[in-house]
Amino acid sequence: MSQQQTVATDAVTDPAPGTAVTTVAKRRDWWRDAVIYQVYPRSFADSNGDGMGDLEGVRSRLPYLRDLGVDAVWLSPFYASPQADAGYDVADYRAVDPMFGNLLDADALIRDAHELNLRVIVDLVPNHSSDQHEWFKRAVADGPGSPLRDRYHFRPGKGENGELPPNDWESIFGGPAWTRVPDGEWYLHLFAPEQPDFNWEHPAVGDEFRSILRFWLDMGVDGFRIDVAHGLVKAAGLPDLGAHDQLKLLGNDVMPFFDQDGVHDIYREWRLVLDEYAGERIFVAEAWTPTVERTANYVRPDELHQAFNFQYLSTDWDAEQLRTVIDRTLEAMRPVGAPATWVLSNHDVTRHATRFANPPGLGTQIRTAGDRALGLRRARAATLLMLALPGSAYVYQGEELGLPDVVDLPDEVRQDPAYFRGAGQDGFRDGCRVPIPWTREGSSYGFGSGGSWLPQPAEWAGLSVEAQTGDPDSTLELYRSALAVRRAQADLGTGDRVEWLKAPEGVLAFRRGEFVCVTNTTAESVSVPVHGRLLLTSGEVAESDGEVKIPADTTAWWTTA
């Protein structure tokens, strides 16, 4: 039996299914230390064999998430959509796209989740709609001068005949951020042309989204993840940016279309709506900002509850860099009384099992089997480090299986808009969205009976839930053990401080009450003092004469109790 499984079994007595989750669900401020699992519906579970995941598939797998030990489920968009950007182009915010089911399926999912003491957070996309949204179709049809165009950003072009875009802004997916309609005017889209940006200066937009919030709150959802929360308000006059490579500025500098101060007025109004409802519903911001201090503005007491820590997600596997971003994050959140919110992977970034295998800047290049093993070892260690930090944590579906990105997808199956638009982007997001494997066999390893919308590698049979369940050395059992230990240890979860301990170069060591975490980010084994009773490790360790030898890229947890 592995060290991982031995210490976890010693440390935790398994409760009856759902018991531990119930304790968290009934406690006030549940979101301050919650572990929230992101479900990408089209890639989670397919109930009808059409190769595409759906809400009924998610519903059928909820017991798995309960037993994994998470507190809540965040569902990426399942609204009615032409699917130009995987559902982030919404045509109807109050309807479920038929590919995912219908409103009755959504209702049943929410009810079943609550029966299992899992909360449900849904995605909200307020920066832009689909170009097939009724508002936008009517605005285009009515022509220049229509008041309906004021709900979006329509402008005349520059040049002698208006043939040039109104300004120099570039789309996040590459190319100009403006598209011309047949009558000669241009409309703004910070993402794909099928995603026109709303004009949040228009009162009808705010009215509509407050109504949308109430619609889903009345359905029973426990909160909203706000897509592009930093992008709703644009600088007055839509001024030129003047940068030659705008993509390099994203998340690193102040921009006239991101992180404008006016967004905070919107979220204060939204908070008033949310507070009308019982049950501690929450808002989570996807806010790409230049600094964690700017991110903290989104989680002031009268605004949102959480904001993803993208500075942490973007940090290399390096002890000094990690300590710096941890300290800065905790310091930034402390004055506003908000929890830090840690994340390592999501549907928009390279999975950390692949990211940590590569030197910085190499992205998703194909790696050797040895490099893939290195990435997984670091990913396991990084997960234990993240779950030991104060605050809330997010887990992206499949990371608990140690899934890497699929980097060799055929061109003809790719669907990421960034891949087709080019401009230096490689469409990498498809690689982290491949449907996850549930069984060793089958046309899609248990995802569904009719294959999968993106092809899965043959080696994923060995990474499936079935293959890993009961294997004490598997990544899935490591996650299950880690979440059980985290729940059992009173000093883990909520809080805003760590006590750093003396450690060798390249090693992070900190104490939180009676709990101690040590992470070795180096390529060599290191010896550290025994810090009490060993709870859990991401790899084998050796203990003798009052010291513990921690291998390269390994994390260990202790308790002094």
Side-chain angles (χ1 to χ4, degrees):
M1 184 175 287
S2 71
Q3 181 73 26
Q4 168 190 316
Q5 185 65 16
T6 299
V7 295
T9 302
D10 290 345
V12 179
T13 300
D14 289 337
T19 301
V21 182
T22 304
T23 302
V24 171
K26 290 183 177 180
R27 182 170 49 78
R28 284 187 56 81
D29 295 341
W30 66 272
W31 46 274
R32 289 188 171 274
D33 62 357
V35 177
I36 300 174
Y37 186 100
Q38 180 188 357
V39 166
Y40 193 67
R42 62 174 55 209
S43 298
F44 193 64
D46 170 20
S47 70
N48 59 9
D50 66 356
M52 187 69 66
D54 47 47
L55 294 184
E56 183 59 30
V58 176
R59 182 186 175 200
S60 72
R61 297 293 188 178
L62 289 175
Y64 165 79
L65 299 180
R66 174 203 59 195
D67 295 341
L68 182 63
V70 300
D71 303 299
V73 181
W74 154 33
L75 298 168
S76 292
F78 50 81
Y79 309 112
S81 165
Q83 304 296 321
D85 183 24
Y88 282 93
D89 51 316
V90 181
D92 187 342
Y93 290 86
R94 297 177 182 84
V96 173
D97 194 280
M99 70 187 295
F100 296 123
N102 54 46
L103 282 174
L104 291 177
D105 295 319
D107 179 70
L109 190 160
I110 294 166
R111 291 177 184 275
D112 280 9
H114 289 167
E115 285 292 321
L116 295 170
N117 296 306
L118 292 169
R119 296 178 185 262
V120 177
I121 295 169
V122 297
D123 233 306
L124 188 67
V125 188
N127 179 71
H128 48 261
S129 73
S130 166
D131 63 351
Q132 298 304 302
H133 191 287
E134 282 301 317
W135 280 11
F136 189 77
K137 289 195 298 182
R138 289 168 55 199
V140 171
D142 282 5
S146 168
L148 291 177
R149 290 200 172 189
D150 293 339
R151 297 176 180 181
Y152 295 90
H153 294 277
F154 280 88
R155 295 288 188 278
K158 293 181 178 179
E160 184 176 349
N161 298 304
E163 72 276 10
L164 299 177
N167 67 21
D168 66 357
W169 294 0
E170 295 177 3
S171 162
I172 307 306
F173 292 154
W178 296 88
T179 289
R180 200 176 193 186
V181 295
D183 58 45
E185 286 199 329
W186 298 73
Y187 69 88
L188 175 68
H189 53 86
L190 292 181
F191 295 87
E194 297 87 352
Q195 296 168 289
D197 280 45
F198 284 115
N199 175 17
W200 274 87
E201 300 296 325
H202 196 291
V205 177
D207 290 345
E208 172 68 356
F209 273 90
R210 286 190 295 274
S211 174
I212 292 167
L213 289 175
R214 289 191 172 94
F215 178 87
W216 289 102
L217 289 167
D218 289 340
M219 284 276 290
V221 303
D222 300 286
F224 301 88
R225 176 264 190 187
I226 305 169
D227 184 62
V228 196
H230 53 292
L232 278 55
V233 173
K234 279 67 174 176
L238 309 184
D240 283 343
L241 185 54
H244 295 292
D245 192 348
Q246 295 181 19
L247 291 177
K248 289 185 178 179
L249 300 180
L250 296 177
N252 296 308
D253 206 344
V254 175
M255 305 183 80
F257 47 77
F258 280 164
D259 197 29
Q260 295 291 304
D261 289 339
V263 299
H264 301 290
D265 293 333
I266 296 169
Y267 298 136
R268 290 187 184 98
E269 291 183 356
W270 285 16
R271 182 61 178 266
L272 295 175
V273 173
L274 201 71
D275 288 347
E276 295 173 8
Y277 290 80
E280 291 198 277
R281 322 288 180 100
I282 69 166
F283 286 123
V284 186
E286 181 204 28
W288 289 88
T289 67
T291 65
V292 291
E293 290 78 12
R294 291 288 297 182
T295 301
N297 290 337
Y298 290 79
V299 288
R300 288 176 286 202
D302 59 345
E303 294 189 43
L304 310 179
H305 297 78
Q306 296 181 341
F308 293 125
N309 190 339
F310 292 120
Q311 284 78 17
Y312 184 75
L313 182 150
S314 303
T315 301
D316 296 330
W317 184 241
D318 175 87
E320 184 176 355
Q321 293 182 44
L322 287 165
R323 177 167 174 170
T324 297
V325 73
I326 291 168
D327 282 341
R328 285 193 64 182
T329 298
L330 296 176
E331 290 169 5
M333 297 299 155
R334 200 171 292 130
V336 295
T341 304
W342 314 100
V343 60
L344 290 168
S345 287
N346 63 36
H347 65 291
D348 279 335
V349 302
T350 304
R351 288 184 177 274
H352 59 287
T354 294
R355 192 170 70 246
F356 288 152
N358 300 336
L362 286 188
T364 59
Q365 290 188 14
I366 297 175
R367 311 298 294 171
T368 66
D371 286 334
R372 287 194 292 271
L374 171 63
L376 178 58
R377 188 166 69 246
R378 288 176 170 175
R380 289 163 58 96
T383 294
L384 290 196
L385 172 61
M386 176 182 74
L387 292 176
L389 294 171
S392 179
Y394 279 73
V395 173
Y396 177 48
Q397 67 174 47
E399 74 172 74
E400 78 278 14
L401 304 177
L403 297 184
D405 266 34
V406 179
V407 298
D408 54 354
L409 290 169
D411 291 352
E412 60 269 20
V413 304
R414 291 176 177 266
Q415 299 193 22
D416 186 350
Y419 175 77
F420 298 103
R421 299 199 76 190
Q425 297 200 34
D426 61 3
F428 66 87
R429 298 185 304 173
D430 287 325
C432 68
R433 297 175 176 182
V434 175
I436 66 175
W438 293 92
T439 60
R440 290 187 178 92
E441 299 179 350
S443 66
S444 60
Y445 306 112
F447 169 68
S449 60
S452 63
W453 67 281
L454 286 174
Q456 303 151 304
E459 60 267 24
W460 277 23
L463 298 177
S464 65
V465 173
E466 181 184 32
Q468 295 197 45
T469 295
D471 177 358
D473 296 317
S474 71
T475 301
L476 175 57
E477 294 297 350
L478 175 67
Y479 269 72
R480 287 170 171 165
S481 296
L483 292 175
V485 172
R486 175 184 165 98
R487 203 176 296 281
Q489 292 293 309
D491 291 314
L492 284 180
T494 190
D496 63 4
R497 298 178 187 276
V498 298
E499 175 191 350
W500 293 106
L501 304 176
K502 185 177 180 181
E505 185 176 356
V507 176
L508 293 169
F510 61 85
R511 181 189 306 277
R512 298 184 60 205
E514 296 176 337
F515 173 86
V516 174
C517 176
V518 176
T519 298
N520 178 12
T521 68
T522 74
E524 305 292 336
S525 295
V526 297
S527 293
V528 300
V530 172
H531 290 286
R533 177 166 59 90
L534 198 60
L535 289 171
L536 190 62
T537 66
S538 64
E540 296 285 347
V541 302
E543 183 176 337
S544 64
D545 299 326
E547 288 194 328
V548 176
K549 181 171 287 188
I550 300 182
D553 304 310
T554 300
T555 295
W557 288 358
W558 285 270
T559 180
T560 61

